[in-house]
Amino acid sequence: MSITNLIVHEIQKHEGERKAILIARPNENPVDMQAQALSEQVINLFNRSGMNTGRFSNPHGSDEGSQLPALLTKHFKDGAFLDFAGFSKECAAEYLKYLENVEEAEGGLLWFNHYELHDTHFLYIVLLKRKQGIGLGADLSLSQVEQIEIEKLHMALRINLSAWQAEDEGRYIAFRFGRAPKFESEYFTQFIGCDEPKAAAKETRKLVDLTSAFCQSEGLPSKQANDFKRVVSEHCQSKAEEREPLEIKDIAHEVETRFSVEQANKFLEIADSDSFKMEKEIFVEKAGLKKLTRLSGSSRALTMSFDSDLLGETVHFDADTGTLTIKELPKSLLKQLKSMS
């Protein structure tokens, strides 16, 4: 990763007040060891699961709504910012307008970071907070000092500038809210101007349903369907651990390898149908993958969950009567049942 531009501005605003003040740094911060270290920490926090993805509602900007895409169109040309300090000041001023509408919100530090990775340009806009810490002077005396809070992320945005400029149809925006309350996440989303932001959890649920729909449409036997679902789950788990997006065509490749080219095309056809409208790539939430390999359900008085591989083996379902027959009960449950008989 090569940092090209870096600057930090401060927005002062107290909770319960609408008035906010922008304290803009006149020129860019030097890209020194401290900046590199902070950038790496911010990126590591950002890359944790649960981020949202999307694209600009109006990629080139308009007079109404978010001005962020219009500012990018104005300042980012041929892989470089003409005036990064000027861009960041205008951007911070726009952020302030959304912030002032929310009395409960507080100010903070706006971190702008333009970097290049594998010939692709990215922009981070991150809200950082200050915190009180303890410092140790040269004479070993203790004193209170202000520090940047880097243990957790509040709100952050990453734009794939290369994909945006190339008018890519994919989701070139990724953003996350950390532990920000709902009112903060709402104004931050408005500031971004993102079209129908989707949480990784929602996309993962759609993928799980898509996989089940494909198995059902092809009439796969239970064991074959469960094996395929497990392969999909393992592939998704790997992407989630690597913090990389999953490409739907990769799952189609798994279908082709296990079944046929025709069935792989069928999988992509279902993915593109009105029922799913899957994106070409998605971020996966690991917790949501459990439904691929486990069956579960609950009512007010009963909760049940078991590995789908058990269906047809130790768990038998009678569709006509809507009943389950379970053999080889867990020892702890069996003991409780015997004690009550």
Side-chain angles (χ1 to χ4, degrees):
M1 180 184 72
S2 175
I3 298 177
T4 307
N5 307 100
L6 177 69
I7 195 167
V8 181
H9 301 301
E10 182 173 11
I11 293 181
Q12 293 183 346
K13 180 181 178 300
H14 299 292
E15 183 180 352
E17 298 179 0
R18 286 191 178 273
K19 182 65 176 176
I21 299 172
L22 171 61
I23 301 177
R25 182 181 168 87
N27 44 44
E28 296 181 35
N29 291 75
V31 182
D32 52 21
M33 290 180 60
Q34 288 81 8
Q36 292 276 5
L38 180 56
S39 180
E40 289 178 10
Q41 288 174 302
V42 168
I43 290 173
N44 286 337
L45 285 172
F46 185 87
N47 284 335
R48 293 178 180 176
S49 62
M51 70 178 67
N52 299 271
T53 61
R55 60 177 72 86
F56 289 129
S57 302
N58 189 329
H60 303 293
S62 64
D63 294 335
E64 297 180 358
S66 171
Q67 294 302 299
L68 179 55
L71 290 173
L72 286 171
T73 301
K74 173 184 174 182
H75 288 278
F76 188 71
K77 308 284 185 182
D78 300 320
F81 280 93
L82 304 177
D83 177 9
F84 189 72
F87 159 75
S88 65
K89 289 174 191 174
E90 290 185 55
C91 202
E94 283 298 318
Y95 175 86
L96 185 144
K97 291 178 183 178
Y98 288 94
L99 182 70
E100 286 188 322
N101 290 327
V102 186
E103 287 188 5
E104 302 95 326
E106 296 180 340
L109 305 171
L110 276 182
W111 159 280
F112 293 82
N113 179 9
H114 167 220
Y115 71 92
E116 188 176 355
L117 181 65
H118 305 312
D119 297 322
T120 302
H121 293 267
F122 294 90
L123 173 69
Y124 268 107
I125 302 177
V126 182
L127 177 67
L128 299 171
K129 300 279 189 177
R130 296 179 186 270
K131 71 171 186 178
Q132 293 297 317
I134 302 296
L136 190 65
D139 61 350
L140 302 183
S141 60
L142 298 174
S143 61
Q144 273 206 336
V145 295
E146 275 199 336
Q147 301 173 332
I148 296 176
E149 188 176 46
I150 53 176
E151 293 81 9
K152 58 185 179 182
L153 202 61
H154 293 273
M155 295 186 291
L157 158 70
R158 182 187 65 204
I159 304 172
N160 183 327
L161 295 172
S162 300
W164 160 74
Q165 202 163 55
E167 299 185 355
D168 195 306
E169 293 183 357
R171 298 188 171 206
Y172 46 78
I173 297 175
F175 57 101
R176 54 180 298 126
F177 304 123
R179 298 181 181 179
K182 185 177 180 180
F183 63 80
E184 286 197 344
S185 62
E186 286 178 348
Y187 83 71
F188 193 66
T189 303
Q190 293 169 358
F191 161 71
I192 297 170
C194 198
D195 183 25
E196 296 182 6
K198 304 278 186 177
K202 186 174 182 179
E203 294 288 3
T204 304
R205 285 195 297 271
K206 285 173 63 177
L207 177 62
V208 170
D209 292 341
L210 166 63
T211 305
S212 297
F214 168 75
C215 293
Q216 187 174 359
S217 72
E218 298 304 294
L220 298 182
S222 294
K223 188 176 187 313
Q224 204 172 17
N226 289 336
D227 287 344
F228 175 61
K229 289 178 181 179
R230 192 171 297 282
V231 168
V232 173
S233 177
E234 290 172 355
H235 189 81
C236 291
Q237 291 274 2
S238 174
K239 287 293 183 181
E241 289 170 2
E242 292 170 1
R243 297 167 181 170
E244 293 181 354
L246 169 78
E247 295 191 32
I248 298 301
K249 68 179 182 180
D250 289 345
I251 304 300
H253 179 70
E254 292 288 349
V255 176
E256 182 179 336
T257 302
R258 290 178 161 268
F259 305 110
S260 68
V261 174
E262 291 74 22
Q263 285 172 298
N265 291 333
K266 178 67 174 178
F267 178 84
L268 291 174
E269 183 182 321
I270 298 173
D272 290 334
S273 68
D274 290 338
S275 299
F276 294 98
K277 293 183 178 179
M278 295 293 298
E279 296 290 334
K280 294 178 181 178
E281 61 178 36
I282 64 172
F283 284 94
V284 177
E285 185 192 58
K286 293 172 72 173
L289 296 171
K290 291 180 180 179
K291 291 186 177 180
L292 276 174
T293 55
R294 292 190 69 80
L295 299 173
S296 63
S298 63
S299 64
R300 207 168 184 183
L302 176 67
T303 298
M304 184 175 293
S305 174
F306 57 89
D307 197 307
S308 57
D309 284 346
L310 298 179
L311 197 62
E313 298 294 330
T314 59
V315 179
H316 296 272
F317 175 60
D318 188 327
D320 295 329
T321 61
T323 57
L324 279 178
T325 303
I326 304 174
K327 300 178 181 178
E328 299 180 15
L329 294 174
K331 291 181 179 179
S332 58
L333 176 59
L334 188 60
K335 184 178 180 180
Q336 292 177 63
L337 291 170
K338 286 183 177 180
S339 68
M340 298 177 68
S341 61

